[in-house]
Amino acid sequence: MTDAAFQESYTTPDGRKIGDVVMEMKNISLRFGGVTAIKDISFDIREGEVRAIIGPNGAGKSSMLNVINGFYHPQEGEVWFRGEKRGPMKPYQIARQGIARTFQNIALFKGMSTLDNIMTGRLIHMNTSIASQAFWKGPAEREEIENRERVEKIIDFLEIQTIRKTPVGSLPYGLQKRVELGRALASDPSLLLLDEPMAGMNVEEKEDMSRFILDVNDEFGTTIALIEHDMGVVMDISDRVVVMDYGAKIGDGTPDEVRQDEKVIAAYLGVSHD
Amino acid sequence: MSADFLFGVEVLLNGLMAGVMYSLVALGFVLIFKASGIFNYAQGVMALFAAQTLVGIQTGLIPFSHLINAMLGTKIHHFGWNVPTFIAILITIGIMVLFAIIVEKLILKHLVNQEPIILFMATIGLAYFLEGFGDLMWGAEIKKLDVGIPQGGNLWIEESTAFLGGDDFYGFYLDTLDIYATVIAVILVASLILFSQYTKTGRALRAVADDHQAALSVGISLRTIWVIVWSIAGFVALVAGVMWGAKSGVQFSLSLIALKALPVLMLGGFTSIPGAIIGGLIIGVGEKLFEFLIGAPFLGGATENWFAYMLALVFLIFRPQGLFGEKIIERV
Ligand SMILES: Nc1ncnc2c1ncn2[C@@H]1O[C@H](COP(=O)(O)OP(=O)(O)OP(=O)(O)O)[C@@H](O)[C@H]1O
Ligand SMILES: [Mg+2]
């Protein structure tokens, strides 16, 4: 139904340009012992779009993000990034290529302040040597200030000025999710992976988060791949949706197309999701 | 002021100085434990090795000379030169960094994600290897270490504090070497804290200590961080080894200073830098005061040998996570 429809770049109804393929997953299979988490899945992510991955619990969605950012290495299949086949790479190397992420179970640096957490997102843009940081302060200090300015912008953007100095471990859940988004944004990623950015949030918090995601996509032109259970949100903010069930891909297309797909409806009937 | 009170103050000061050194040794453990979850059994031997290396380089010993002589039948021991202390220290630091790189390449890299007990066993192996290697490289005999810091009671302090008491008080007796050691340890600890708080590498260190996955996701290489942390631990070991070595000679017993760090860690918690510092001070002061007030008068003395462990045990019962360690809450 769908793949042919997206061979070309296209323009969304609200006028954003969706460009070339940035990331292409080709026939990915991932197994953990006897468990097959991903079964022969192919899909692509295009420049500038918001790409959602949905599916019931245990469908393999998080595993897919973990493959993209290098935490998991698939037994079969190829990952193509910006027109090149990716060899075996470590997660930190992939991060340095401009792929940032958040986690389903928030993974912040709990003992550190909001500001410090978001500053870690800038590390890949900071190059002064240890010796210079320790003994010869000029360049290191300048670098620190420059990057700090960028971080302050993100803090303003996410409206979290009041918790700048608070250790994140003591923040409420919704705010922690926001700080985690801030840390990912701080690296100026070209591809942003969000694993259930709105899980456990109330309606108001979800609206805020949706707005931030759309703004990031709009203002910075960041390509976004996100996993989300809330169908309303997915339909609202995403351009294209991949549907997974039991590790396999059962649907791929615009929100409208996916919503009417029989296989997708069947997978969701009687399946509980949070 | 009464002489008894002033003696008490003198004991307190000496306790504080000993405590700073305990803190320093404990800090070496905490740094590695926080960054990699490893309890580094080799920390004490690293102090011994660093001190051996410093003496060896300073006095122009030929490394592995016993081995060379045994194999080739030669009788070489010395290069016949002395290296200035400062340069010898720089070279030793370089060797400790090299050691950190080798440890990472040969051990840590292959043991990522292993159980803590396996990592611990690996450091036990490392400790025995390094002990033998150090002896092979520099010889096992007791060496005198002289880094130019004077030893013995500090006359100036003694004279300038004599007026505090009456006729039977002669001023505070403080060892000059201890004073130097304290000042150096304080500077070292303070700069480590500043470094970790205010530089990007420090921030990366704290990030890795907090959450490995998240650290990887922002582009931090764990292996680089491990090399840095082991290098810092090597440097801390060098300072501790030099201070202890200058006092009692560089010999095997120096590696036992690590044992002194254990009660400090139990008190302060394995993951807390402030804990290591306060824990060290409490134990330093505690053991000296206990000996002065209770041990010597009532228990026949020599309580310093066991006081720290007893204090740690009592502490473990009431607050197993240590003074500042995070509360241990098991998820069920
Ligand atoms: N590290 C792992 N080791 C073993 N099995 C794993 C691992 N990670 C994922 N799995 C298994 O792979 C399957 C897919 O898990 P995954 O977390 O990707 O699902 P998900 O779609 O994100 O589910 P949810 O909506 O609950 O987050 C599950 O059966 C899970 O148990
Ligand atoms: Mg998941």
Side-chain angles (χ1 to χ4, degrees), chain A:
Chain A
M1 57 173 186
T2 54
D3 285 353
F6 292 105
Q7 291 306 307
E8 306 290 324
S9 326
Y10 65 102
T11 311
T12 60
D14 56 340
R16 282 174 310 121
K17 271 222 164 13
I18 301 301
D20 296 333
V21 172
V22 177
M23 172 77 60
E24 186 166 16
M25 315 300 285
K26 291 187 183 170
N27 306 98
I28 302 286
S29 291
L30 174 73
R31 286 178 292 275
F32 296 103
V35 180
T36 304
I38 301 176
K39 252 183 269 178
D40 192 26
I41 290 193
S42 304
F43 70 96
D44 62 23
I45 302 171
R46 285 171 176 275
E47 186 89 53
E49 74 177 340
V50 177
R51 185 72 146 130
I53 303 175
I54 65 172
N57 292 117
K61 307 178 296 295
S62 295
S63 300
M64 185 56 87
L65 280 205
N66 286 333
V67 167
I68 297 178
N69 99 303
F71 279 140
Y72 293 166
H73 299 278
Q75 279 83 3
E76 280 141 48
E78 295 173 357
V79 179
W80 287 65
F81 184 56
R82 299 203 177 284
E84 276 174 49
K85 187 180 160 189
R86 193 164 82 185
M89 275 172 88
K90 297 266 164 52
Y92 78 89
Q93 293 167 320
I94 292 173
R96 290 176 191 186
Q97 285 193 330
I99 299 181
R101 69 166 294 169
T102 63
F103 295 82
Q104 183 167 355
N105 308 308
I106 303 172
L108 283 168
F109 307 119
K110 297 217 162 44
M112 291 160 56
S113 68
T114 298
L115 187 66
D116 268 344
N117 265 279
I118 301 182
M119 276 300 279
T120 61
R122 296 298 302 167
L123 280 170
I124 60 172
H125 299 289
M126 300 170 82
N127 309 314
T128 48
S129 69
I130 295 193
S132 140
Q133 296 166 50
F135 303 113
W136 192 45
K137 296 208 57 186
E141 220 162 56
R142 221 171 305 132
E143 185 180 57
E144 185 81 11
I145 291 169
E146 279 166 21
N147 284 285
R148 176 76 179 268
E149 278 166 12
R150 180 81 189 94
V151 165
E152 293 293 349
K153 287 220 180 77
I154 288 166
I155 288 179
D156 288 346
F157 171 75
L158 293 174
E159 296 155 19
I160 46 178
Q161 297 91 337
T162 50
I163 53 162
R164 287 164 76 253
K165 303 272 172 177
T166 318
V168 294
S170 62
L171 292 173
Y173 186 82
L175 279 180
Q176 291 197 15
K177 281 265 182 199
R178 221 186 268 192
V179 175
E180 206 191 16
L181 175 64
R183 183 182 66 194
L185 285 180
S187 65
D188 292 329
S190 64
L191 174 60
L192 179 59
L193 312 172
L194 307 173
D195 196 344
E196 306 202 12
M198 287 162 239
M201 287 186 166
N202 61 35
V203 177
E204 196 185 328
E205 287 172 323
K206 279 188 186 181
E207 280 171 3
D208 281 341
M209 189 50 99
S210 300
R211 183 166 49 87
F212 290 133
I213 293 173
L214 287 176
D215 282 353
V216 167
N217 176 249
D218 231 22
E219 287 175 27
F220 311 137
T222 311
T223 308
I224 294 172
L226 68 92
I227 297 173
E228 186 48 56
H229 277 296
D230 186 321
M231 280 307 192
V233 171
V234 170
M235 297 302 154
D236 274 354
I237 68 174
S238 52
D239 298 309
R240 288 192 301 159
V241 185
V242 177
V243 191
M244 292 178 70
D245 191 21
Y246 291 111
K249 181 168 108 169
I250 58 165
D252 190 348
T254 63
D256 280 335
E257 284 173 323
V258 165
R259 192 161 31 191
Q260 286 152 20
D261 191 289
E262 274 160 29
K263 272 199 260 173
V264 177
I265 294 169
Y268 270 92
L269 277 181
V271 177
S272 72
H273 48 268
D274 49 20

Side-chain angles (χ1 to χ4, degrees), chain B residues 256-295:
Chain B
L256 301 180
I257 55 174
L259 293 182
K260 272 289 182 190
L262 277 181
V264 174
L265 292 170
M266 288 180 202
L267 217 62
F270 280 75
T271 54
S272 168
I273 290 176
I277 296 165
I278 310 266
L281 295 180
I282 290 178
I283 291 209
V285 171
E287 68 181 15
K288 291 272 186 327
L289 274 185
F290 185 81
E291 171 79 13
F292 177 69
L293 296 174
I294 299 169

Side-chain angles (χ1 to χ4, degrees), chain A residues 96 107 111 126 128 133 144, chain B residues 199-201 203 206 210 214 219:
Chain A
R96 290 176 191 186
M126 300 170 82
T128 48
Q133 296 166 50
E144 185 81 11
Chain B
T199 65
K200 67 148 204 212
T201 303
R203 200 177 288 122
R206 283 185 290 144
D210 228 320

Side-chain angles (χ1 to χ4, degrees), chain B residues 27-38 40 43 229-230 233:
Chain B
L27 204 62
F29 282 99
V30 171
L31 285 172
I32 290 184
F33 190 81
K34 271 178 82 94
S36 51
I38 298 178
N40 177 23
Q43 187 71 33
V229 167
W230 279 74

